[in-house]
Amino acid sequence: MPAALISVKNAAFLSAGYRPFFLLSALWSAIAVPVWLAAYIHGYAPAAMPAMTWHAHEMIYGYAAAAVAGFMLSAIPDWTGRFPSHGLPLAMLASLWIAARLALLFSAPLGALFDLAFLLVVSIAVARELVAGRHWRGLPMLAALLLLLAGNALVHLETLGIANTGTLGLHLGIATLAGLIALVGGRIIPSFTRNWLARMRPELKAPGQGGLLDVACLLVTIGGLAAWVAWPYSRFSSAIEILGGFGVAARLSRWHTLAVPGEPFLLVLHAGYAWLAFGLAFLGLNGFFAWLPASAGVHALTVGAIGTMTLGVMTRTTLRYAGMPAEAGAGTLAIYALVSLAALLRFTAALAGAYTALITSLAGFAWSAAFGLFALLYGPLLARPRTH
């Protein structure tokens, strides 16, 4: 076997999906937003897509899709007891993602080919693991990947001049990511909180999880997201979105959020879930009263819920797999503070009037700093072997 292939096979960086994809996701997120700001402020747009479409697409199907791939390719082997994808196949999959990002800077057809191939290959890999491990509870994860693949295809169809489906594809991507937060967050947040409270606040009742109320809240949340995708400007959809937001809030209210401010790794997950509740409810209320541009609610879901939750999960997961205690140092606290600031600024930019461009730019800088700091602090952990 060639020495280069031996090196790839044994490289710690390619031993599990979270390692390359968390780092690539963070780096691209930190880079792509300043590129978008250049287009937004100065009209500079080095892309095969219109600047606004490229920005939304790369946040959903570039950065977020990579984070989802990293999470699934690492979590599903834990659930099934099978060995994770690693070595050369993982290197080729990461290369496919990188090729898509580069191609979309100059060629719409080539970019679409690589971009759709990436999500297709990830979907096949996840399906194979779920079937081989007979882990049928993981099928919603596969469904989410297939929805992301479909949404991505809808965006590319418009970019290629085939169909007017770009907005539908972007909405489907955001709704799918938000649905994943509702589903996965609804499992891990109360579980992590329960474990922490058992050690630190045993006098408190364990966070509520499961039961008919929990299922009903999750279903109405998924319903609100689906309504926003299917009929984004309908009063009926607005009502379902409001109910969905209250469903998320009802679940969160059972998880002792007020008891965890002293544990940053928990607080950031609770904050991300709260952004999901606020974003859905605001989208619905804004549909009735049109207080702010629709982008305000969308950014509550994207920058607020998706951005906060991905960084919360990536930091905690990286430390766990690195064999290190989940202790938030000054750098991690700065990451959480910066992404929270980015979410607040991006939402309030709609209220800034003549200062909208300035506030949007500040939000972009805070976002890039958060993900850049993650890459700087956690990149070495992602590249080296587990300590113990």
Side-chain angles (χ1 to χ4, degrees), residues 178 180-187 189 218 221 247-249 251-252 255 268-278 304-305 308-309:
L180 274 174
I181 290 173
L183 178 63
V184 177
R187 294 178 183 176
I189 297 174
L218 179 59
T221 301
V248 178
R251 298 181 83 192
L252 183 61
W255 298 342
V268 70
L269 298 178
H270 283 252
Y273 217 75
W275 272 111
L276 177 60
F278 175 75
T308 302
M309 285 292 289

Side-chain angles (χ1 to χ4, degrees), residues 71-386:
F71 173 77
M72 290 192 184
L73 292 174
S74 300
I76 289 176
D78 280 353
W79 302 339
T80 62
R82 289 171 54 81
F83 203 64
S85 299
H86 67 288
L88 185 59
L90 185 58
M92 294 175 66
L93 186 58
S95 298
L96 189 58
W97 181 89
I98 294 171
R101 310 284 67 80
L102 296 176
L104 284 172
L105 295 176
F106 60 86
S107 171
L110 194 59
L113 176 64
F114 290 145
D115 207 30
L116 295 175
F118 168 73
L119 281 173
L120 178 60
V121 173
V122 174
S123 299
I124 292 171
V126 167
R128 180 194 63 196
E129 293 304 308
L130 292 175
V131 172
R134 303 181 67 82
H135 187 77
W136 311 124
R137 286 189 62 193
L139 287 178
M141 303 294 105
L142 176 60
L145 283 172
L146 293 176
L147 286 172
L148 287 174
L149 176 61
N152 200 9
L154 290 172
V155 178
H156 285 297
L157 284 176
E158 179 163 317
T159 301
L160 295 172
I162 298 173
N164 187 26
T165 53
T167 298
L168 176 61
L170 295 175
H171 281 194
L172 181 56
I174 294 170
T176 300
L177 294 169
L180 274 174
I181 290 173
L183 178 63
V184 177
R187 294 178 183 176
I188 66 174
I189 297 174
S191 176
F192 293 164
T193 303
R194 182 184 301 110
N195 294 339
W196 184 80
L197 290 176
R199 298 193 312 271
M200 308 301 295
R201 300 286 301 275
E203 73 278 7
L204 292 178
K205 182 181 177 181
Q209 186 180 21
L212 290 178
L213 176 61
D214 205 58
V215 171
C217 288
L218 179 59
L219 289 177
V220 77
T221 301
I222 300 301
L225 292 167
W228 178 64
V229 173
W231 309 286
Y233 308 111
S234 159
R235 289 294 181 93
F236 170 78
S237 296
S238 294
I240 303 300
E241 290 157 21
I242 294 170
L243 288 176
F246 278 106
V248 178
R251 298 181 83 192
L252 183 61
S253 70
R254 307 172 66 201
W255 298 342
H256 296 301
T257 298
L258 296 180
V260 301
E263 177 46 67
F265 286 107
L266 280 177
L267 184 60
V268 70
L269 298 178
H270 283 252
Y273 217 75
W275 272 111
L276 177 60
F278 175 75
L280 256 178
F282 181 85
L283 278 175
L285 290 170
N286 203 50
F288 282 108
F289 302 107
W291 291 324
L292 293 174
S295 62
V298 171
H299 284 109
L301 290 177
T302 53
V303 184
I306 297 171
T308 302
M309 285 292 289
T310 50
L311 278 172
V313 169
M314 289 196 309
T315 49
R316 188 185 186 104
T317 300
T318 300
L319 290 175
R320 176 199 165 200
Y321 283 120
M324 299 182 64
E327 297 176 355
T332 300
L333 292 176
I335 291 171
Y336 296 161
L338 284 165
V339 74
S340 298
L341 178 62
L344 288 170
L345 288 174
R346 191 61 189 89
F347 178 80
T348 57
L351 298 168
Y355 298 98
T356 296
L358 174 61
I359 301 301
T360 299
S361 298
L362 292 175
F365 294 148
W367 172 275
S368 291
F371 282 90
L373 190 56
F374 172 87
L376 180 66
L377 296 180
Y378 284 81
L381 296 180
L382 293 168
R384 74 190 189 200
R386 182 184 174 96

